[in-house]
């Protein structure tokens, strides 16, 4: 492409240097895929390799290494706060037994129609849970519920994996989306819009993937109306909510989808029960409990989040309380400069999603206690479960982010991007989703995939002069969808469903749908980029 | 709290301590001090590796 990298302060473009720049990512993939190493271990090794290459190949001094590492750790605080607080809220609701009441109520509302149950409990319900708490929880909750309703175990796991994945970007109150913003200089508004468009498209494909996996084209034909209806309701809600507050878009889309799927969809003529099915349905066991009380924690969360995000004077007042740390200017030997910054990635203490979840959790605990739903020692149990469930992802995210930000600080990511831009050229939009898919497969996390590849995708888009918003939207959509195609989540699914050792069979099923869905996402992106959109 | 979970928590705590040490080392305007801070971070990372 005739790129003069000396003008941007990087070494001349060469294949050996390019391979070395890519080595930290190659190593992390090889260690996790080839050797089955944990994300935390692979992350530490890759951080060390990234530091060595930065120092000896890119002439990064101690300040660059320190600055990149520190910025990486600082970036994780925001994400980890969401992870821990959302996991606590989920466990608080779980110890009250409210999830069983919520699921049973929605089952009853669907008249026991199997296809609707599959779509609502395997797609809409996990989406709703993903809205407030990801990291495998939607699969852990939905798969056993589907099995309990009589669905095949493998089908239940694959459905829950596929069903929750599309909501990852705006799920967990936006932890994955926040990474996208932290790792690139894009504006939040347009980024949320384009991400919502592509994710809604991913959701549309997800509905059909679940139907096809259930019973081939027969189920696709029978469930097409339901799938399209739910896609429009959830996808439309997601896009509209993303305008106001992307951090709650999956949550709101899932909640609206649950209401539409439970109260409107069963009234469609094609989904009413036959007499035989009605008899089986009436004979089934029911869970005792008040739905309003069971759902109250999420109603409180909706009220708190909407109050803070949608009342401008309140938001303006609370947003002024920020914590950020300063960084000095750093530069590598070839000249690439990272300018000094007074407040790097500031944390808005009272409006950050983690704080809102903590406040909601406290209010929900008080409400549950007042209504006799919170068992003795319930808060302690919820906290202990949160501790054991969240510590692994914490150990993984920290070194991975250290490595990813250090690569950016020392110019490795930029250098890789120039190399890809020189080879892929105009076809990059079709390649882009598969980079996100690769990241999600390796790390079992849409958030970690975005940590690894957001800066890379952004730089390539800039070099090729195509919309970074569309490219990053494809990155985050692919990383979300890939949550159904990752060994870690497959193992979680088999663990909660008594299918130990069948991870390969599950990955084979989710893998074929992921390849098709990401190809279609890439083609959509290619068309939009060709039309010159996204600027 | 079992030993495994405690060690994992401590490994994250060590990273946070190393973060503070490295941050002040970065602002010390001394290359030697910054290298020492990076050494502390490397030890914390190795500890996280062992306890993950």
């Amino acid at each position: 492409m005739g790129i003069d990298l000396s003008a941007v302060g990087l070494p001349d473009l060469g294949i050996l240097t390019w391979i070395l720049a890519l080595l930290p990512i190659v190593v992390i993939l090889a260690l996790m895929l080839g050797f089955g190493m944990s994300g935390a271990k692979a992350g530490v090794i890759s951080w060390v390799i990234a530091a060595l290459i930065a120092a000896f190949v890119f002439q990064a001094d101690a300040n660059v290494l320190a600055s990149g590492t520190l910025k990486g750790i600082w970036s994780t605080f925001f994400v980890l706060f969401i992870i821990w607080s959302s996991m606590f809220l989920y466990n608080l609701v779980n110890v009250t037994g409210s999830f069983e009441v919520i699921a049973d109520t929605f089952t009853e509302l669907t008249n026991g129609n199997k296809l609707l149950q599959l779509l609502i409990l395997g797609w809409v319900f996990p989406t709703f849970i993903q809205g407030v708490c990801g990291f495998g929880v939607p699969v852990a909750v939905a798969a056993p519920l589907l099995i309990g309703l009589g669905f095949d175990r493998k089908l239940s796991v694959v459905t829950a994996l596929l069903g929750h994945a599309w909501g990852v970007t705006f799920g967990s109150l936006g932890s994955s989306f926040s990474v996208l913003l932290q790792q690139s200089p894009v504006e939040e508004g347009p980024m949320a819009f384009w991400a919502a468009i592509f994710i809604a498209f991913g959701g549309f494909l997800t509905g059909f993937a679940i139907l096809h996996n259930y019973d081939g084209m027969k189920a696709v034909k029978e469930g097409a109306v339901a799938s399209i209806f739910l896609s429009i309701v959830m996808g439309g809600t997601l896009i509209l909510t993303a305008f106001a507050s992307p951090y709650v878009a999956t949550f709101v889309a899932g909640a609206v989808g649950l209401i539409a799927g439970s109260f409107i969809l069963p009234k469609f003529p094609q989904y009413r029960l036959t007499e035989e099915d009605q008899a089986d349905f009436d004979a089934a066991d029911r869970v005792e409990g008040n739905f309003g009380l069971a759902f109250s924690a999420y109603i409180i969360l909706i009220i708190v989040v909407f109050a803070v995000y949608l009342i401008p004077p309140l938001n303006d007042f609370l947003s002024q309380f920020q914590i950020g740390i300063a960084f000095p200017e750093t530069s590598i030997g070839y000249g690439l400069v990272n300018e000094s910054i007074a407040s790097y990635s500031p944390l808005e203490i009272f409006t950050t999603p983690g704080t809102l979840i903590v406040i909601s959790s406290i209010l929900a605990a008080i409400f549950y206690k007042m209504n006799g739903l919170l068992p003795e020692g319930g808060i302690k149990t919820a906290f202990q479960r949160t501790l054991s469930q969240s510590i692994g992802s914490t150990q993984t995210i920290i070194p991975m982010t250290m490595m990813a930000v250090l690569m950016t600080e020392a110019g490795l990511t930029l250098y890789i991007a120039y190399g890809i831009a020189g080879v892929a050229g105009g076809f990059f939009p079709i390649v882009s989703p598969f980079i996100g898919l690769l990241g999600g497969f390796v790390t079992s996390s849409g958030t970690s995939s975005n940590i690894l590849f957001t800066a890379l995708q952004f730089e390539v888009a800039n070099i090729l002069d195509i919309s970074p918003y569309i490219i990053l939207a494809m990155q985050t959509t692919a990383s979300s969808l890939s949550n159904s195609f990752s060994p870690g989540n497959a193992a979680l699914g088999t663990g909660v469903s008594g299918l130990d050792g069948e991870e390969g069979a599950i990955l084979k099923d989710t893998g074929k749908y992921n390849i098709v869905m990401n190809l279609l996402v890439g083609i959509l992106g290619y068309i939009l980029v060709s039309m010159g959109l996204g600027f | 709290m079992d030993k495994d979970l405690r060690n994992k928590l401590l490994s994250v705590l060590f990273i946070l301590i190393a973060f503070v040490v490295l941050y002040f080392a970065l602002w010390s305007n001394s290359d030697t001090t910054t290298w020492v801070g990076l050494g502390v971070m490397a030890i914390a990372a190795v500890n996280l590796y062992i306890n993950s």
Side-chain angles (χ1 to χ4, degrees), chain A residues 110-470:
Chain A
T110 59
N111 301 325
N113 183 306
K114 286 288 182 190
L115 209 143
L116 294 192
Q117 285 177 14
L118 191 74
L119 288 175
I120 292 173
L121 286 177
W123 179 24
V124 184
F125 189 58
T127 297
F128 170 72
I129 299 173
Q130 181 67 42
V132 286
C133 183
F135 315 103
V137 171
V139 178
V141 173
L145 285 174
L146 288 170
I147 292 167
L149 287 168
F151 288 102
D152 173 74
R153 287 177 183 273
K154 190 177 132 203
L155 172 78
S156 299
V157 174
V158 172
T159 300
L161 282 167
L162 289 170
H164 87 289
W166 78 291
V168 166
T169 289
F170 294 124
S172 308
L173 292 190
S175 58
S176 186
F177 180 67
S178 68
V179 168
L180 207 64
L181 298 177
Q182 285 173 347
Q183 301 282 326
S184 66
V186 292
E187 292 178 26
E188 181 174 317
M191 191 64 254
F193 170 75
W194 283 107
I197 294 288
F198 275 88
I199 287 164
F201 181 61
F204 173 79
L205 299 174
T206 295
F208 283 100
I210 287 172
L211 288 173
H212 187 268
N213 183 59
Y214 178 47
D215 197 14
M217 291 310 292
K218 180 173 177 283
V220 171
K221 191 177 173 185
E222 288 177 10
V225 171
S227 183
I228 291 169
F229 172 74
L230 291 171
S231 294
I232 292 171
V233 168
M234 290 198 292
T237 304
L238 185 108
I239 293 167
L240 290 174
T241 311
F243 274 115
S245 177
Y247 298 100
V248 294
T250 296
F251 177 55
V252 177
V256 173
L258 279 176
I259 294 167
S262 305
F263 295 102
I264 301 172
L265 192 56
K267 293 186 170 47
F268 284 24
Q270 55 268 61
Y271 300 125
R272 287 181 187 147
L273 278 178
T274 62
E275 286 183 12
E276 187 185 345
D277 289 338
Q278 187 70 53
D280 290 343
F281 179 65
D282 292 341
D285 291 335
R286 290 282 174 272
V287 176
E288 295 294 326
N290 182 306
F291 177 75
L293 281 178
F295 206 66
S296 57
Y298 295 102
I299 294 171
I300 290 169
L301 181 62
I302 291 169
I303 293 169
V304 170
V305 169
F306 273 55
V308 171
Y309 281 121
L310 299 181
I311 301 176
L314 181 63
N315 189 272
D316 291 345
F317 175 74
L318 295 175
S319 296
Q320 63 185 316
F321 301 99
Q322 299 183 347
I323 298 177
I325 55 174
F327 281 95
E329 179 181 292
T330 62
S331 60
I332 65 172
Y334 288 98
L336 182 72
V337 175
N338 298 291
E339 293 180 0
S340 63
I341 186 163
S343 182
Y344 176 78
S345 193
L347 186 72
E348 295 180 359
I349 303 165
F350 296 115
T351 60
T352 191
T355 302
L356 304 185
I357 306 173
V358 169
I359 293 168
S360 302
S361 300
I362 293 168
L363 295 174
I366 294 169
F367 190 77
Y368 281 140
K369 188 74 178 173
M370 286 168 60
N371 287 280
L373 282 177
L374 192 64
E376 195 67 33
I379 292 177
K380 186 181 176 187
T381 303
F383 183 75
Q384 286 173 335
R385 288 181 186 173
T386 302
L387 201 61
S388 59
Q389 290 163 346
S390 304
I391 192 69
S393 55
T394 301
Q395 286 187 309
T396 298
I397 285 175
I398 288 174
M400 278 195 180
T401 316
M402 286 161 60
M403 178 207 72
V405 180
L406 175 57
M407 284 181 66
T408 302
E409 189 86 357
L412 279 68
T413 307
L414 187 61
Y415 194 84
I416 296 167
Y418 274 113
I420 292 174
V423 174
F427 290 103
F428 183 70
I430 294 175
V431 177
S432 170
F434 289 94
I435 295 174
L437 173 67
L438 183 65
F441 177 82
V442 171
T443 63
S444 296
S445 161
T447 303
S448 295
S449 176
N450 281 351
I451 289 169
L452 275 176
F453 292 125
T454 291
L456 176 70
Q457 299 255 28
F458 178 83
E459 295 300 344
V460 175
N462 271 346
I463 292 163
L464 294 173
D465 197 25
I466 56 180
S467 167
Y469 292 104
I470 290 179

Side-chain angles (χ1 to χ4, degrees), chain A residues 40-41 44 62 70 73 326 328 395, chain B residues 11 19 23 27 41 49 51-52:
Chain A
K41 282 184 166 63
V44 169
L70 289 166
I73 296 174
Q395 286 187 309
Chain B
S11 72
F19 173 84
Y23 186 72
W27 282 101
M41 181 60 74
Y49 177 98
N51 290 296
S52 65

